Amino acid sequence: LIRDAEVVRSLRALAKPVIAMIDGPAVGAGLALALACDIRIASSRAKLGASFHRVGLTGDFGLLWLLPRIVGPTQAMDLLMRAEAVDAERAERIGLVTRVVPVERLADETYDYARRLAAGPPIAQGLTKLGLHRALESDLAAMIAWEAEAQARCSHTADAHEGVAAF
């Protein structure tokens, strides 16, 4: 399990935003894989669930760490204890997915989002992702200091020079 779950750590550590496209069930470890992604776009027929208790198990693949950070501890507890899949609309309401789109638009919407990210500033995106992850385990003073360093690093990039000039 530890070796197999390395994919979750790899997705979180990747210096680029990762998008999950969910079209159907994402349950158990599949849900953990989706949660390891930064953006989750689901079709209207998607179902997401932490169904481990249905088979007498507890969460794995980092689910117990990821879920409360994404939906909060109260929703995480409810999802885990009920062990029932939620539909796409509820998943969007509680923050489990970023957004829900019609089934026939899922691929187009996801790839459009990916193209937009690919055209963005990679260093700023990577530092933003890293900063958001760090913020969950740092105090405000530490994050302000980290942000200042990250901003200084970004300010020397071609993307920043071009963006400031265009602004």
Side-chain angles (χ1 to χ4, degrees), residues 9-29:
R9 289 173 50 131
S10 296
L11 289 170
R12 298 272 300 173
L14 192 64
K16 301 202 178 290
V18 179
I19 303 170
M21 180 170 43
I22 306 165
D23 187 24
V27 297

Side-chain angles (χ1 to χ4, degrees), residues 53-83:
H53 285 186
R54 287 187 175 239
V55 294
L57 298 173
T58 188
D60 59 13
F61 271 63
L63 185 78
L64 298 177
W65 189 89
L66 291 162
L67 191 59
R69 283 168 169 76
I70 292 169
V71 300
T74 303
Q75 289 291 342
M77 184 68 74
D78 182 56
L79 291 168
L80 287 159
M81 293 301 168
R82 290 168 137 236

Side-chain angles (χ1 to χ4, degrees), residues 37-108:
C37 298
D38 305 298
I39 306 293
R40 289 168 299 284
I41 301 175
S43 78
S44 55
R45 70 178 165 203
K47 301 262 188 227
L48 297 94
S51 56
F52 295 95
H53 285 186
R54 287 187 175 239
V55 294
L57 298 173
T58 188
D60 59 13
F61 271 63
L63 185 78
L64 298 177
W65 189 89
L66 291 162
L67 191 59
R69 283 168 169 76
I70 292 169
V71 300
T74 303
Q75 289 291 342
M77 184 68 74
D78 182 56
L79 291 168
L80 287 159
M81 293 301 168
R82 290 168 137 236
E84 297 171 352
V86 297
D87 63 23
E89 287 72 30
R90 177 159 182 234
E92 185 178 32
R93 273 195 316 274
I94 65 174
L96 205 51
V97 299
T98 308
R99 72 181 205 226
V100 175
V101 300
V103 173
E104 64 276 1
R105 296 281 313 140
L106 179 63
D108 289 340

Side-chain angles (χ1 to χ4, degrees), residues 89-159:
E89 287 72 30
R90 177 159 182 234
E92 185 178 32
R93 273 195 316 274
I94 65 174
L96 205 51
V97 299
T98 308
R99 72 181 205 226
V100 175
V101 300
V103 173
E104 64 276 1
R105 296 281 313 140
L106 179 63
D108 289 340
E109 296 278 340
T110 304
Y111 291 125
D112 286 348
Y113 200 116
R115 281 188 285 277
R116 181 177 176 159
L117 291 177
I123 293 171
Q125 288 174 343
L127 288 170
T128 297
K129 177 177 176 172
L130 177 60
L132 287 171
H133 293 311
R134 289 177 69 117
L136 295 172
E137 297 174 8
S138 297
D139 63 32
L140 180 58
M143 277 312 296
I144 289 173
W146 185 90
E147 288 171 345
E149 290 176 24
Q151 197 70 296
R153 183 170 170 203
C154 285
S155 70
H156 296 292
T157 66
D159 288 323

